Amino acid sequence: DFGRTRLLDEALDPLADGMIRLRIDRFALTANNITYAGVGDLLGYWDFFPGPEGWGRPPAWGFATVVQSNATGVFEGSRFYGYFPIGEALDVVPARASPRGFVDSASHRRAKAAVYNHYLNTQADPVYEAAFEPEQAIFRPLYGTGWWAADCVHQGKPSPRTVVFSSASSKTALATAHQLRRLGEARLIALTSARNVAYVRETGLYHDTLPYEAVASITTEAPAVYLDFLGREGQTAAVHRALGANLVRSILIGATDWGSKPGGVRPPSVALTGPKPEFFFVPDYATVRMKADASLGAAMLADLKSFCTASRAFVTARRLVGTDAILEAWARLAAGETPP
């Protein structure tokens, strides 16, 4: 029950040798955090910051300052971007420390994808700009997924002439559309809820915007690709029927409608017209692509920096302070009451 929350006030243990203590200064709450909960069992997101029996501590991206260090190479007062629990402090075991940052080598995190365990020193981070901390906290992990998803679509053969998005107002979908517009000539078609049609259209990122109810009226040019950020089986089936023989790829990326599919991003349980949906997990995909072309990492970061500036045209960060505000924000997100 993601709407059921409680706040714990616990004393911190003395800091052990080889560890550092981070004071969490700022983190982002978006629908992405609810997705982490929705796929927490499937993809192990509950494992990063274990909670008491029967409870989970949702992860969030943000910034923190070292307030105590018993580790070599990480100094008090340094500020880092990374993956944190929703709380005031986090103790980690830094490894491979350098001026650029470190990796948390705590035993329960070693088997996790590296992207979640890296903490980046803001003084050496080429993307960091103090004035854009809110946008970086909100978009950095989502933009990475969107950028690599766009790369995945662009690398596909044959190159698509049409790309259809579900949950087109989601931040990852916006990032994907932004990058696909830069990469090629594909026509981008947005599907969204009726209440978000005007918002999605006004972002200027898509060529056409339709409510879900109008999916049957989609006109596409082959070959077409479907990017599913929604995870609603009935909608996936409707898109497959509407695109028919023009559909060459169907890619599962998100589950913004996590309530309709417990467990999150999973292959549909119903028979579909056309290609079998494929699951896109960015840490795996990016690792393979980076081995083939090491320059892609720097390219993604450069594009992220420009996107943080561009994002202010369609997303305004709200700054909330205090435990009551945090719990209220979580409840609104879990109930689907937060506008895009």
Side-chain angles (χ1 to χ4, degrees), residues 144-159:
T145 299
W147 194 93
W148 288 110
D151 181 82
C152 178
V153 171
H154 188 64
Q155 290 291 311
K157 302 299 179 189
S159 297

Side-chain angles (χ1 to χ4, degrees), residues 66-158:
V66 180
V67 292
Q68 187 178 352
S69 177
N70 290 340
T72 302
V74 183
F75 305 102
E76 293 180 11
S78 300
R79 200 145 186 268
F80 293 88
Y81 168 84
Y83 211 43
F84 300 104
I86 296 175
E88 291 182 305
L90 175 66
D91 294 349
V92 299
V93 185
R96 306 207 303 269
S98 75
R100 296 190 63 184
F102 63 87
V103 173
D104 183 9
S105 64
S107 58
H108 68 285
R109 294 178 65 169
R110 288 174 190 161
K112 300 298 184 183
V115 66
Y116 299 113
N117 291 336
H118 279 171
Y119 290 83
L120 305 175
N121 191 328
T122 59
Q123 295 299 308
D125 180 3
V127 175
Y128 180 76
E129 286 188 46
F132 286 91
E133 271 196 7
E135 286 76 18
Q136 290 172 7
I138 290 169
F139 277 109
R140 188 162 184 163
L142 305 175
Y143 183 80
T145 299
W147 194 93
W148 288 110
D151 181 82
C152 178
V153 171
H154 188 64
Q155 290 291 311
K157 302 299 179 189

Side-chain angles (χ1 to χ4, degrees), residues 3 30 52 61 70 174 190 210 240 273 291 302 328 332:
T30 72
W61 294 90
N70 290 340
L174 297 176
L210 297 171
H240 275 239
T273 303
K291 287 180 179 177
E328 181 187 354
R332 286 201 310 272

Side-chain angles (χ1 to χ4, degrees), residues 266-278:
R266 297 180 306 179
S269 59
V270 297
L272 297 173
T273 303
K276 180 180 179 181
E278 56 191 91

Side-chain angles (χ1 to χ4, degrees), residues 33-65:
N33 301 91
I34 308 300
T35 299
Y36 282 148
V39 299
D41 292 325
L42 179 69
L43 297 180
Y45 288 116
W46 296 121
D47 303 338
F48 285 91
F49 313 110
E53 182 66 30
W55 292 84
R57 301 180 73 194
W61 294 90
F63 295 89
T65 301

